Amino acid sequence: MSDDHYITSEDPDHPANLIPSLCAKFWTLGWVTGTGGGCSIRNDDLVYIAPSGVQKELMKNTDIYVLALSKQTDLKNRVYLRSPPCGRPSQCTPLFLAAFTKRGAGCCIHTHSHWAVLVTLLLEAQGPGKDKLFEINNIEQIKGFGKGFQKQGNLGYHDTLRIPVIENTAHEEDLTEFLEEAMDQHPDTYAVLVRRHGVYVWGDNVHKAKTMCESLDYLFQLAVEMKQLGIPWLSDIPVTVPTSRR
Ligand SMILES: CSCCC(=O)C(=O)COP(=O)(O)O
Ligand SMILES: [Zn+2]
C-alpha cells in the first residue's frame, strides 16, 4: 500500500501542505534562502519534515517525510512512515526533534535570517563572557513571547527577553547536543541563536512558532539598528504606569 495518505489532503492546514506554503512565505523574508533553514510540524506522534538541500520555497506535499515519534525516537532510532523516492530528510531533523521531545512543541522553524546572524556577530564582537546571551527589554514586541515552558501568558513590556547563543558546528546535526544544553540552561526560552548561522524557534503550535519567529526577527533587526545608532538593547527605564486620562 502507498504511504501517500500521510501527505495527501485538501486541507491547506494539513502539515504536508503547510510546510511548503510556510517555507514559500519564509523565502520571501530571506529566512530559508539558498536551501538553508526550514520548518517541521508535529501532529500528535507524527512529525512532518522537509527534504535536505532542496529549494525550500519550491517544495510540494509529495516531498515531505513523515516520522513516527516515540519515547525511543533519537538520532539512531528514527522510524520513517513515509519517505519520498529520492533524497534524505533535513539535516535539521534532530534539532526539530529536540524541540518536540524536550518541549512538547508542535512546530519548529529554523531561519538563516541576516538579522539573526548579525546579532550573533555583534555579541561576538563584545568579547567572551558577553557573547552567549541576547537580551532586550522595554520594546513592545517582547509581548509577542510566551512566558516559558508550561507557563501561562506572555512576557510583559518591562520583562527582559533572553535568547541563548550556541556556537556553530561543521555539520547541522552536531548542533543538537548544544541546542539541548541551551534548553536545559534556559528552560523558558522558545529560541536558540546559532552563531554565524541563524536561529531555531519553536512553539506549542504553528501559529505560536510563526508569530514568535516574526517577533524575534523584528527584534533582531531593531537590535542591529539600535546598535548602529549607539542605543543599548537593555535599558533601565523605571516601571511607571501612567494613570489613565478620562
Ligand atoms: C546552505 S544550507 C546549509 C545547511 C543548513 O544550515 C540548513 O539549515 C539546511 O539544512 P537542510 O538539510 O534542511 O537543507
Ligand atoms: Zn541551518
Side-chain angles (χ1 to χ4, degrees), residues 33-39 49-54 56 88-93 96 110-112 168 172-173 175 197 200:
T33 198
T35 79
C39 157
I49 296 162
S52 181
V54 302
K56 301 286 179 359
R88 59 196 174 88
S90 169
Q91 292 174 43
C92 312
T93 300
F96 293 146
H110 170 44
T111 89
H112 283 199
N168 200 25
E172 192 100 21
E173 288 103 329
L175 290 169
H197 182 155
Y200 279 84

Side-chain angles (χ1 to χ4, degrees), residues 64-139:
I64 300 295
Y65 289 79
V66 183
L67 178 67
L69 192 66
S70 75
K71 288 200 170 62
Q72 284 75 44
T73 304
D74 60 20
L75 252 176
K76 294 182 196 73
N77 298 301
R78 291 190 212 156
V79 178
Y80 285 94
L81 301 174
R82 181 183 193 271
S83 295
C86 45
R88 59 196 174 88
S90 169
Q91 292 174 43
C92 312
T93 300
L95 293 113
F96 293 146
L97 290 176
F100 300 148
T101 57
K102 283 178 81 73
R103 290 293 174 268
C107 176
C108 186
I109 299 167
H110 170 44
T111 89
H112 283 199
S113 158
H114 277 201
W115 303 117
V117 174
L118 279 169
V119 159
T120 69
L121 290 169
L122 288 173
L123 287 166
E124 184 181 75
Q126 290 183 20
K130 294 180 181 165
D131 62 339
K132 297 274 186 276
L133 199 60
F134 170 70
E135 294 180 285
I136 192 162
N137 69 357
N138 288 309
I139 300 290

